[in-house]
Amino acid sequence: MSGKLCFLASVLLSMSTVVDLAMAASGGVNIAVYWGQNGSEGTLGETCGTGLYAYVNLAFLSTFGAGRAPVLNLADHCDAPSGTCASLAADIASCQAAGVKVLLSIGGGALGYNLSSPSDARDLAAYLWDNFLGGGATGASRPLGDAVLDGVDFDIESPSRFYDDLARNLASLYTRAPRPPRGGKTYLLTAAPQCPYPDASLAAALATGLFDHVWVQFYNNPPCQYAAPGDASALRSAWAQWTAGLPAATVFLGLPASLDAADSGFVDADTLASQVLPVVEGAANYGGIMLWSRSYDKDSSFSVKLQAALQNRNKPTGAGASSHTKRRICKWLTFVYSEFLIQYVVLHYYPSQLQFYN
Ligand SMILES: *[C@@H]1O[C@H](CO)[C@@H](O)[C@H](O)[C@H]1NC(C)=O
Ligand SMILES: *[C@@H]1O[C@H](CO)[C@@H](O)[C@H](O)[C@H]1NC(C)=O
């Protein structure tokens, strides 16, 4: 019987775990996630509303440079060329109000982009500033309507030049006093290089020292990713190079959010919390983790599991505290149950005594 009561106690306790989860995002790890490449991953507003993420990268501005008109591609979510992505402005505002930074990621795997010259880089920087950040463009020319994003993310996956020029031009525009009502914001530069150091596409840009956060892709790259099970040596030495090489940035461990999200490099949430994060989080400029992508994370609940695993791990007395609570609930239930039993026995077998008491 006490076993059954204690099962009930466990149920009550796991309900309190749900409450814990709501607090995990603040007490757990900072997660950056890519959103935009799968219409069934839920809206941007829902994504931010989970409370799981600190940064959302809109993926991607996939066409730009060398004379191409820039095109924002958010898959089935909306169609930027016909103006329907402007409706995302309300979601972006709700994300920002909840403290989530929303960035425009340029590049991606489709490789419909490159830069042809320093002036090409200058033109793109001006376009990004005017149409997505604090610059002056208004109305229909802004693909995301009145939204003012928090910065630009470089996910450049094919080696080419002039991204250092792009970073310098953006950083210089960031220091401009934006027109009201866009004043007072701090804009970010972030990047997603591959883990072989230095990155073939972004080395020159990163060497400017202008990037705030760098989420390194520790996947699809066996020479530098975590070699499950238990072999972190390749990751450890690549991580040391990245964190030492980017002293002015915070560095994030980029991972697939499920087995399907990449060809290799997936680490389950418990192993990440117990085996891999201890390898990386000692770095002074460790920032958190990055996930590709919201779509996979939604299906696998990777972030939910990770935040829960960290919540337990970060409470050294957690297991003790939790079984202490369990014991208290058990004791209380046993008390209530035995009171009930006494009443029952008295009512059934000694009704006369009851009269007497009355
Ligand atoms: C989008 O996500 C759904 C649900 O997980 C999946 O079935 C589908 O294959 C994905 N589509 C693409 C293009 O990745
Ligand atoms: C950029 O892409 C265009 C079109 O694909 C190509 O003609 C050009 O050579 C490329 N430029 C550089 C610098 O890679």
Side-chain angles (χ1 to χ4, degrees), residues 66 68 113-117 159-162:
R68 305 173 185 92
Y113 55 88
N114 68 11
L115 293 172
S116 56
S117 67
S160 83
R161 297 168 57 202
F162 312 117

Side-chain angles (χ1 to χ4, degrees), residues 38 40 295 299:
N38 189 323
S40 57
S295 169
D299 288 348

Side-chain angles (χ1 to χ4, degrees), residues 131-218:
N131 292 284
F132 291 96
L133 304 169
T138 53
S141 91
R142 292 180 77 91
L144 298 171
D146 283 340
V148 180
L149 298 182
D150 296 290
V152 177
D153 175 61
F154 289 34
D155 182 20
I156 306 305
E157 312 237 351
S158 79
S160 83
R161 297 168 57 202
F162 312 117
Y163 289 101
D164 50 341
D165 295 287
L166 182 64
R168 278 189 287 267
N169 282 298
L170 280 170
S172 133
L173 290 166
Y174 284 3
T175 64
R176 271 198 200 165
R179 286 190 209 166
R182 296 179 185 138
K185 269 180 83 79
T186 303
Y187 297 95
L188 301 172
L189 277 180
T190 68
Q194 315 275 314
C195 61
Y197 185 90
D199 182 77
S201 307
L202 286 167
L206 293 173
T208 62
L210 293 169
F211 286 78
D212 299 284
H213 307 303
V214 178
W215 9 85
V216 184
Q217 299 182 37
F218 283 89

Side-chain angles (χ1 to χ4, degrees), residues 326-338:
K326 207 176 195 173
R327 269 200 308 275
R328 282 183 56 184
I329 299 177
C330 273
K331 245 172 135 176
W332 179 76
L333 282 172
T334 310
F335 173 74
V336 170
Y337 180 76
S338 42

Side-chain angles (χ1 to χ4, degrees), residues 40-175:
S40 57
E41 67 198 326
T43 67
L44 181 61
E46 285 160 10
T47 298
C48 296
T50 61
L52 292 165
Y53 311 112
Y55 304 89
V56 176
N57 297 308
L58 303 182
F60 294 102
L61 187 84
S62 59
T63 302
F64 62 80
R68 305 173 185 92
V71 179
L72 175 67
N73 176 326
L74 296 176
D76 307 340
H77 288 291
C78 57
D79 182 49
S82 61
T84 60
C85 295
S87 63
L88 282 177
D91 280 24
I92 292 167
S94 80
C95 292
Q96 291 170 328
V100 180
K101 304 282 186 197
V102 184
L103 300 109
L104 176 66
S105 188
I106 66 166
L111 307 186
Y113 55 88
N114 68 11
L115 293 172
S116 56
S117 67
S119 70
D120 197 16
R122 197 166 56 237
D123 291 349
L124 179 62
Y127 169 82
L128 295 171
W129 173 250
D130 282 344
N131 292 284
F132 291 96
L133 304 169
T138 53
S141 91
R142 292 180 77 91
L144 298 171
D146 283 340
V148 180
L149 298 182
D150 296 290
V152 177
D153 175 61
F154 289 34
D155 182 20
I156 306 305
E157 312 237 351
S158 79
S160 83
R161 297 168 57 202
F162 312 117
Y163 289 101
D164 50 341
D165 295 287
L166 182 64
R168 278 189 287 267
N169 282 298
L170 280 170
S172 133
L173 290 166
Y174 284 3
T175 64

